[in-house]
């Protein structure tokens, strides 16, 4: 899924508003010996953030990029969350925060380009969907490790696992691009904190397990680990068939910030021209506020 350049040039202001947004985390963050982080505030991006983020290297590790952004824009107890806590958030919470940050910035509509999922067709298609239609899972009790069992031969193996976090995501990001299966094995191994009385298991040992045991572990983790990997169903206008695509909100948002933002300086120019505000003041506004003032100017000009 590629966002289209024209996607967000409109005045889609249907996001959760321009101000700070309170978000209840789904997995939360258990501080070692400290207070659990469960409710945070999300600070919307300003023009200055947009300007800086447009210059990010596209080849840069996506989870590391997301950690930096969340470290600055998520607030807990009046302070930015910081790199360490942002990296320690469960993937599901990172996706949730990124979803709201995206909606605060660009609204809820996502427009883009993809190709038909049927190989015999493969035509290029425009798509649109509304992020408000996405289902958010229920809040989870805690980020503590959870126990599970799988059967091997005549006995059952007990193991414990925790939610994967931003650090796990960063470690496997490059591998995931070339070998998703190996990446998933590495992610599972990283999240298994205890295996059959041992402290964890390596990806190699995991891969060497009998097929039925491995697939049972795989199934348990796939069912139990919360994710916001939304499958969206799209209809092909060429061949008339439906197909599914997975929406990666972090990837989409980064692409939008990198490639769809060439209107920023023009907006600064127009606002400076009509209101005589300084560039610095205008860049401190959110995208939503800039667009709103531009609408007011449009109305003045028309009347
Ligand atoms: Zn098609």
């Amino acid at each position: 899924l590629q966002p289209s350049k024209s996607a967000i040039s409109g005045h889609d202001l249907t996001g959760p508003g321009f101000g700070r947004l309170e978000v209840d985390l789904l997995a939360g963050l258990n501080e070692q010996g400290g207070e659990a982080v469960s409710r945070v505030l999300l600070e919307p991006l300003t023009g200055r953030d947009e300007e800086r983020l447009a210059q990010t290297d596209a080849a840069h590790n996506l989870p590391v990029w997301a950690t930096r952004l969340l470290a600055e824009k998520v607030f807990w107890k009046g302070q930015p969350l910081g790199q360490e806590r942002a990296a320690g958030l469960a993937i599901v919470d990172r996706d949730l925060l990124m979803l709201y940050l995206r909606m605060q910035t660009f609204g809820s509509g996502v427009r883009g380009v993809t190709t038909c999922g049927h190989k015999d067709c493969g035509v290029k298609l425009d798509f649109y969907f509304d992020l408000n239609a996405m289902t958010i899972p229920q809040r989870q009790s805690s980020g503590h490790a959870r126990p599970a069992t799988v059967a091997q031969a005549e006995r059952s193996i007990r193991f414990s696992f925790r939610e994967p976090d931003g650090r796990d995501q960063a470690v496997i990001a490059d591998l995931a691009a070339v070998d998703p299966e190996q990446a998933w094995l590495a992610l599972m191994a990283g999240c298994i904190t205890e295996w059959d009385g041992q402290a964890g298991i390596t990806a190699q040992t995991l891969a060497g397990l009998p097929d039925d045991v491995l697939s049972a572990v795989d199934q348990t983790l796939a069912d139990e680990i919360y994710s916001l990997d939304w499958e969206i169903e799209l209809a092909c206008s060429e061949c008339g068939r439906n197909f599914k695509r997975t929406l990666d909100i972090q990837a989409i948002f980064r692409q939008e910030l990198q490639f769809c933002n060439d209107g920023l300086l023009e907006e600064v120019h127009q606002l400076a021209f009509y209101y005589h505000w300084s560039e610095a003041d205008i860049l401190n506004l959110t995208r939503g506020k800039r667009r709103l003032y531009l609408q007011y100017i449009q109305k003045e000009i028309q009347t």
Side-chain angles (χ1 to χ4, degrees):
L1 299 176
Q2 295 282 324
S4 69
K5 247 180 174 312
S6 60
I8 45 185
S9 55
H11 296 263
D12 180 1
L13 300 176
T14 56
F18 310 138
R20 283 184 162 191
L21 183 74
E22 207 169 60
V23 179
D24 283 319
L25 299 178
L26 297 168
L29 191 62
N30 286 308
E31 298 261 72
Q32 209 102 58
E35 198 181 330
V37 183
S38 57
R39 177 171 291 183
V40 294
L41 281 172
L42 204 50
E43 181 90 16
L45 298 189
T46 63
R48 197 168 295 288
D49 295 319
E50 289 172 50
E51 196 179 37
R52 182 172 47 89
L53 290 162
Q55 290 155 9
T56 324
D57 180 4
H60 201 72
N61 182 305
L62 180 63
V64 172
W65 174 86
T67 295
R68 287 199 189 137
L69 185 54
L70 295 174
E72 287 175 22
K73 290 290 153 185
V74 179
F75 282 69
W76 183 58
K77 291 179 154 183
Q79 298 289 327
L81 197 60
Q83 293 272 345
E84 199 167 320
R85 288 198 185 102
L89 286 174
I91 294 176
V92 69
D93 282 330
R94 290 161 58 89
D95 279 350
L96 180 74
L97 291 164
M98 209 55 93
L99 170 76
Y100 285 134
L101 209 48
R102 196 280 179 192
M103 288 166 81
Q104 268 179 324
T105 311
F106 296 128
S108 65
V110 179
R111 254 176 236 285
V113 186
T114 188
T115 48
C116 175
H118 297 281
K119 283 207 179 81
D120 56 339
C121 174
V123 77
K124 232 177 165 188
L125 296 166
D126 294 326
F127 70 87
Y128 173 84
F129 62 86
D130 191 333
L131 293 171
N132 281 318
M134 299 286 135
T135 319
I136 311 274
Q138 292 294 302
R139 178 174 156 66
Q140 302 313 307
S141 51
S142 81
H144 290 296
R146 283 171 276 165
T149 51
V150 283
Q152 178 172 16
E154 296 299 300
R155 67 189 199 97
S156 61
I157 299 174
R158 297 159 68 91
F159 67 101
S160 302
F161 63 93
R162 59 171 177 78
E163 285 290 320
D165 60 27
R167 277 183 281 265
D168 301 310
Q169 217 176 9
V171 168
I172 62 150
D174 295 334
L175 185 57
V178 289
D179 192 342
E181 217 164 291
Q182 279 299 320
W184 173 234
L185 269 177
L187 187 74
M188 288 198 294
C191 293
I192 294 174
T193 51
E194 201 191 321
W195 177 268
D196 203 16
Q198 308 284 317
I201 186 167
T202 64
Q204 214 173 0
T205 312
L206 203 56
L209 291 171
D211 282 353
D212 57 326
V213 181
L214 180 58
S215 76
V217 174
D218 178 300
Q219 198 57 51
T220 306
L221 295 193
D223 290 348
E224 292 282 327
I225 285 175
Y226 291 92
S227 92
L228 296 187
D229 282 342
W230 290 298
E231 278 218 315
I232 55 169
E233 190 155 18
L234 299 166
C236 177
S237 54
E238 190 68 24
C239 70
R241 289 171 290 182
N242 286 5
F243 61 97
K244 283 180 177 164
R245 284 269 184 268
T246 304
L247 168 76
D248 180 342
I249 190 68
Q250 297 191 14
I252 288 259
F253 191 33
R254 180 167 75 164
Q255 286 179 15
E256 287 170 337
L257 286 166
Q258 282 179 316
F259 304 120
C260 311
N261 227 5
D262 39 3
L264 178 64
L265 289 184
E266 198 180 327
E267 288 174 22
V268 172
H269 160 72
Q270 284 188 26
L271 291 173
F273 186 80
Y274 285 99
Y275 289 110
H276 307 292
W277 294 335
S278 72
E279 185 199 49
D281 286 344
I282 297 168
L283 285 175
N284 277 333
L285 297 174
T286 61
R287 183 185 179 91
K289 270 204 172 162
R290 291 195 314 268
R291 298 285 166 112
L292 199 58
Y293 284 122
L294 288 171
Q295 283 184 5
Y296 295 155
I297 292 172
Q298 277 299 322
K299 266 187 214 159
E300 285 296 327
I301 294 171
Q302 280 160 10
T303 52

